[in-house]
Amino acid sequence: MGKGGMSHGEGSKVEEENMAAWLVGLNTLKIQPFVLPSVGPHDVRVRMKAVGICGSDVHYLKTMRCADFVVKEPMVMGHECAGIIEEVGEEVKHLVVGDRVALEPGISCWRCNLCREGRYNLCPEMKFFATPPVHGSLANQVVHPADLCFKLPENVSLEEGAMCEPLSVGVHACRRAEVGPETNVLVMGAGPIGLVTMLAARAFGVPRIVIVDVDENRLAVAKQLGADGIVQVTTNLEDVGSEVEQIQKTMGSNVDVTFDCAGFNKTMSTALAATRCGGKVCLVGMGHGIMTVPLTPAAAREVDVVGVFRYKNTWPLCLEFLTSGKIDVKPLITHRFGFSQKEVEDAFETSARGSNAIKVMFNL
């Protein structure tokens, strides 16, 4: 279990009772006490101020699982977060009480070969907020390693700090795909991750971005956020051929890199077909655990397929992008809720419905 906290009844209490939003059963959330561990020498205690809802949070609520991670006992939700330091461990030198920070939610072991190679996001011992059996951060307070808490610049709000987590997925994807000023990008999916990937690609200097989705409302948002072209598609596999032609026409030139931010048979098939010979397809979304896609034709054109899992060393660059104004995540925050039982339930239902909701944010 990570530093986030322990089940009710364990550990030592802080002065006031700490409350958190617990997933206690299928479609059942309860605000209940959340007892924190003591602050270690390299830890900080943070009062949460902004926590976003991720698609994985909704999956856990609706199915009690996300991919291979299964909720077997009550779990505190939330991992997109920012707050204010209330206590620092005796060895913490770079943060002080009152600092506003964004939290990177994953604690790796730093001992395995992957960690030592710098690919700590792939650590098999990763303890990640709100990933069973580790508790999350949708709480009044959490305890977390200080080196995973990043001080916010004065012109970056706490909500923007919480948005560093989804933005990190887009930044990591752009690094993995090696996009830049000579790369034309296609983004499959105009949901929250598709949109932050589009924003990140632009910040990396990508000159032209086309984004596709089945939802015309989300495509309209993508256009407002700076997409050069939008294409509305269907969910029918038989439409891939004609839609690829439409995508390539809209791009006006080769598609160098495609980000599949949905991860379905249809989106991946489209991505592989639309990307030029020698290009790259970066699989970001994980909609289908197992996909059947036309790999052989893509391999014959030497289209590289690159995987993405979480992120590594992204918070400093995210904060630089936000501080400089290269990326503006504020328009993505479409709904805000407080931290009462009813508001927690309403917030998750709003996020689950999708429609005009992009990022649902709690203000604690």
Side-chain angles (χ1 to χ4, degrees):
M1 183 170 293
K3 283 287 185 179
M6 296 174 288
S7 299
H8 184 41
E10 300 177 46
S12 59
K13 288 192 176 183
V14 291
E15 290 184 5
E16 64 181 84
E17 189 166 42
N18 187 45
M19 305 298 287
W22 292 76
L23 175 62
V24 297
L26 190 65
N27 290 316
T28 307
L29 296 164
K30 297 289 184 185
I31 294 183
Q32 298 179 158
F34 180 38
V35 181
L36 297 178
S38 301
V39 176
H42 299 283
D43 300 331
V44 292
R45 178 162 51 84
V46 185
R47 180 167 292 278
M48 291 289 95
K49 290 295 184 181
V51 181
I53 297 178
C54 174
S56 65
D57 295 318
V58 175
H59 276 295
Y60 286 127
L61 176 66
K62 297 297 181 182
T63 67
M64 298 294 283
R65 69 180 299 150
C66 186
D68 293 331
F69 299 103
V70 180
V71 180
K72 298 179 179 178
E73 58 185 26
M75 178 183 77
V76 176
M77 301 289 266
H79 62 266
E80 303 176 357
C81 54
I84 299 174
I85 301 289
E86 292 210 329
E87 183 182 354
V88 299
E90 58 187 20
E91 297 298 324
V92 177
K93 308 300 181 186
H94 68 290
L95 295 171
V96 298
V97 173
D99 281 346
R100 301 177 313 125
V101 293
L103 283 66
E104 182 173 350
I107 306 171
S108 56
C109 75
W110 291 115
R111 295 183 300 275
C112 69
N113 287 339
L114 287 164
C115 283
R116 292 172 64 170
E117 290 170 5
R119 303 186 75 176
Y120 68 86
N121 57 308
L122 303 179
C123 175
E125 302 299 321
M126 176 73 77
K127 296 177 173 64
F128 196 92
F129 277 156
T131 300
V134 182
H135 293 308
S137 57
L138 185 47
N140 297 132
Q141 300 178 71
V142 300
V143 172
H144 204 54
D147 62 356
L148 295 175
C149 297
F150 297 85
K151 187 174 179 179
L152 297 179
E154 289 185 5
N155 67 334
V156 175
S157 70
L158 286 157
E159 287 189 338
E160 291 172 282
M163 289 293 293
C164 282
E165 198 281 336
L167 180 58
S168 285
V169 177
V171 167
H172 183 56
C174 286
R175 284 173 169 171
R176 289 278 288 151
E178 299 178 311
V179 302
E182 297 181 345
T183 314
N184 291 322
V185 162
L186 170 65
V187 178
M188 305 296 299
I193 294 300
L195 293 174
V196 294
T197 300
M198 181 188 78
L199 293 175
R202 187 69 83 198
F204 274 82
V206 168
R208 186 160 180 81
I209 302 172
V210 172
I211 189 165
V212 309
D213 201 282
V214 298
D215 189 315
E216 62 181 350
N217 293 324
R218 293 206 163 182
L219 287 173
V221 172
K223 188 68 175 176
Q224 292 169 3
L225 291 173
D228 298 293
I230 57 175
V231 177
Q232 187 172 8
V233 295
T234 72
T235 58
N236 300 321
L237 270 170
E238 56 266 29
D239 294 334
V240 168
S242 61
E243 289 173 357
V244 166
E245 290 182 7
Q246 188 179 359
I247 288 166
Q248 292 174 335
K249 181 179 179 181
T250 303
M251 180 66 75
S253 59
N254 286 328
V255 175
D256 300 305
V257 170
T258 299
F259 294 102
D260 183 356
C261 296
F264 296 113
N265 290 334
K266 167 77 186 300
T267 55
M268 194 61 175
S269 296
T270 305
L272 291 168
T275 305
R276 68 168 174 82
C277 295
K280 290 182 181 178
V281 172
C282 187
L283 180 56
V284 184
M286 297 183 180
H288 283 156
I290 298 176
M291 288 191 286
T292 301
V293 297
L295 275 180
T296 303
R301 295 186 295 112
E302 293 195 354
V303 175
D304 295 337
V305 177
V306 180
V308 164
F309 187 61
R310 294 174 177 158
Y311 33 68
K312 61 185 180 73
N313 301 316
T314 51
W315 260 252
L317 183 56
C318 287
L319 290 173
E320 180 183 319
F321 283 154
L322 294 174
T323 303
S324 66
K326 284 187 176 181
I327 292 179
D328 182 7
V329 293
K330 294 188 293 293
L332 299 180
I333 305 171
T334 54
H335 294 75
R336 294 173 174 85
F337 290 85
F339 191 54
S340 67
Q341 178 67 40
K342 185 178 187 307
E343 287 176 294
V344 166
E345 293 172 353
D346 290 347
F348 272 85
E349 285 306 309
T350 299
S351 184
R353 282 195 303 270
S355 184
N356 65 335
I358 299 175
K359 181 56 62 178
V360 177
M361 186 74 66
F362 288 104
N363 294 136
L364 285 77

